[in-house]
Amino acid sequence: MSERIVTNPAKMQENWRVAATSLMNLFLTMHRTLAAATPIGPTELLIYSTVSVANVQKLMRERTIPERFAGTEILPREWVVPISRNAIATASGLPRETVRRHVARMIETGLLIEDVRGGVTLPIGVIRDRELEQFLEGMLTNFARGAEELLRIGVIRIESD
């Protein structure tokens, strides 16, 4: 028997303000935490986050993620998917020219690298080099608090298969 978390639309309707506040608080806390870990402006943080997520999409689509890659082990380049500036603009909602300017600046400062396959990626070893592991615990703690609140009011619930 397995369990999964599902939403409860009726309770969402009844608790819209509480649920929205909880989710927005999670977003703001994550933004603040990530900004402290990588001191850049909000636009560059959005681009950096978009690139970070895009780069690991191939791995995250695997039915079973190889154990050695689940943590902070450096991914072989064949697992890292570069993302184009146009795709960053589409995914982030930022104007293409804004993305182009910021990506150029981020490449100059070493936050991003141009990939030989096209597009951009994060530099190899960025999690360890920037000591980002320490920020994950705080973000997960805040996520757990928000999830507990949403569970308590019934907006989400645990369902057994």
Side-chain angles (χ1 to χ4, degrees):
M1 181 189 311
S2 64
E3 296 179 326
R4 61 189 185 114
I5 297 175
V6 298
T7 58
N8 183 343
K11 287 291 188 177
M12 285 192 295
Q13 197 79 3
E14 293 172 18
N15 294 284
W16 185 91
R17 182 169 285 114
V18 175
T21 301
S22 180
L23 291 172
M24 291 308 294
N25 187 51
L26 176 61
F27 169 78
L28 292 170
T29 300
M30 290 179 72
H31 183 274
R32 195 171 45 250
T33 302
L34 289 170
T38 307
I40 54 180
T43 301
E44 289 183 346
L45 182 57
L46 179 56
I47 292 169
Y48 191 81
S49 298
T50 302
V51 172
S52 177
V53 169
N55 287 176
V56 296
Q57 285 305 302
K58 182 177 179 181
L59 178 67
M60 297 309 291
R61 283 193 293 264
E62 288 294 307
R63 188 170 297 279
T64 305
I65 296 173
E67 193 174 309
R68 68 185 183 279
F69 299 143
T72 60
E73 183 70 28
I74 294 173
L75 290 179
R77 293 320 275 177
E78 64 267 15
W79 282 98
V80 177
V81 180
I83 183 171
S84 71
R85 288 152 180 81
N86 282 341
I88 294 169
T90 299
S92 67
L94 293 169
R96 283 177 168 71
E97 181 57 27
T98 299
V99 168
R100 187 198 63 73
R101 274 194 327 270
H102 283 278
V103 166
R105 194 174 10 231
M106 294 168 79
I107 288 171
E108 284 177 22
T109 62
L111 283 172
L112 297 176
I113 58 173
E114 197 78 54
D115 194 281
V116 296
R117 299 168 288 179
V120 293
T121 65
L122 299 181
I124 296 170
V126 71
I127 294 172
R128 289 185 184 154
D129 293 349
R130 293 188 179 266
E131 300 175 344
L132 298 177
E133 298 102 328
Q134 64 183 325
F135 293 97
L136 182 59
E137 184 179 354
M139 288 193 308
L140 283 173
T141 298
N142 190 61
F143 173 79
R145 272 192 220 118
E148 282 179 347
E149 183 174 18
L150 295 175
L151 277 167
R152 182 180 50 77
I153 62 173
V155 170
I156 59 174
R157 67 177 187 264
I158 299 172
E159 207 173 73
S160 298
D161 289 337

